[in-house]
Amino acid sequence: MYPNGGRISVLHIISGLGFGGAERMLQKLVLHSDATRFRHEVVSLREVGPIGEELLASGIPVIGLGFPSLAAGIGSLGAALKAI
């Protein structure tokens, strides 16, 4: 059995949560999946951003790591994953 009330935990890692196609698709996936089966969390390598704020308002946990650039974020991703 899975923790979290039998739900499967899914961690989504994305470069940022500004207004873009990948960000909107992630938002749709998270908000329209079966909440009785899945528990989603989102990590943005940059800031939380406007899509992240919308996810937070919907009750989805979102963390912004605040890396200044995508290269810095990718370079530090190993350290970030160890912290999770």
Side-chain angles (χ1 to χ4, degrees):
M1 192 56 126
Y2 296 102
N4 299 313
R7 298 183 297 168
I8 299 169
S9 293
V10 181
L11 176 64
H12 304 274
I13 301 174
I14 191 164
S15 60
L17 288 166
F19 291 112
E23 295 85 346
R24 284 288 179 200
M25 290 306 296
L26 175 61
Q27 182 182 38
K28 287 181 182 181
L29 171 71
V30 168
L31 295 179
H32 297 289
S33 65
D34 185 350
T36 64
R37 295 185 60 211
F38 301 100
R39 181 183 180 280
H40 297 275
E41 294 185 51
V42 177
V43 173
S44 170
L45 297 180
R46 292 185 176 191
E47 68 286 337
V48 170
I51 301 294
E53 293 294 341
E54 291 176 15
L55 289 169
L56 283 166
S58 298
I60 304 298
V62 178
I63 298 170
L65 297 179
F67 292 120
S69 68
L70 181 57
I74 291 173
S76 300
L77 186 56
L81 289 174
K82 288 180 183 178
I84 294 173

